[in-house]
């Protein structure tokens, strides 16, 4: 392998891959690390990263008639996901 602490080895390694290839390379590594950490966390705590159990849902919030110019409208929200419906 290369001794990446030397500047010539680092320059040689950097020249082998394009910027998009480096992005893909690091993206794949961090994706796998993230997956491994998530699985380990679940095995240890049996909880999602936000503290809920896997069989628990976020609360559902709703509002109706929020758009005055429509015949009917509603807004539903579960966590950070929102849906606006109108007729």
């Amino acid at each position: 392998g290369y001794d990446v602490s030397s500047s010539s080895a680092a320059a040689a390694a950097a020249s082998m891959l394009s910027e998009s290839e480096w992005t893909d390379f690091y993206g794949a590594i961090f994706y796998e690390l993230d997956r491994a950490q998530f699985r380990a966390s679940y095995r240890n705590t049996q909880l999602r990263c936000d503290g809920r159990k896997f069989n628990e849902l976020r609360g559902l919030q709703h509002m109706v008639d929020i758009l005055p110019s429509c015949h009917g409208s509603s807004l539903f929200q579960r966590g950070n996901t929102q849906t606006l419906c109108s007729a």
Side-chain angles (χ1 to χ4, degrees):
Y2 286 109
D3 178 11
V4 294
S5 63
S6 73
S7 61
S8 61
S15 67
M16 287 192 274
L17 297 176
S18 69
E19 185 175 342
S20 66
E21 290 171 325
W22 277 113
T23 301
D24 293 344
F25 173 72
Y26 283 115
I29 288 174
F30 285 110
Y31 175 77
E32 287 302 319
L33 288 172
D34 196 32
R35 285 183 52 183
Q37 180 61 37
F38 181 79
R39 286 191 300 267
S41 175
Y42 173 70
R43 278 194 305 271
N44 295 335
T45 65
Q46 299 291 308
L47 297 174
R48 297 176 192 239
C49 56
D50 64 358
R52 291 179 293 130
K53 294 181 181 177
F54 273 84
N55 63 353
E56 293 178 333
L57 297 175
R58 292 184 179 109
L60 179 65
Q61 297 142 0
H62 65 281
M63 295 183 289
V64 295
D65 295 329
I66 61 171
L67 299 175
S69 61
C70 294
H71 291 287
S73 60
S74 60
L75 177 70
F76 295 93
Q77 180 173 347
R78 184 179 299 259
N80 291 328
T81 304
Q82 296 180 337
T83 302
L84 176 64
C85 305
S86 64

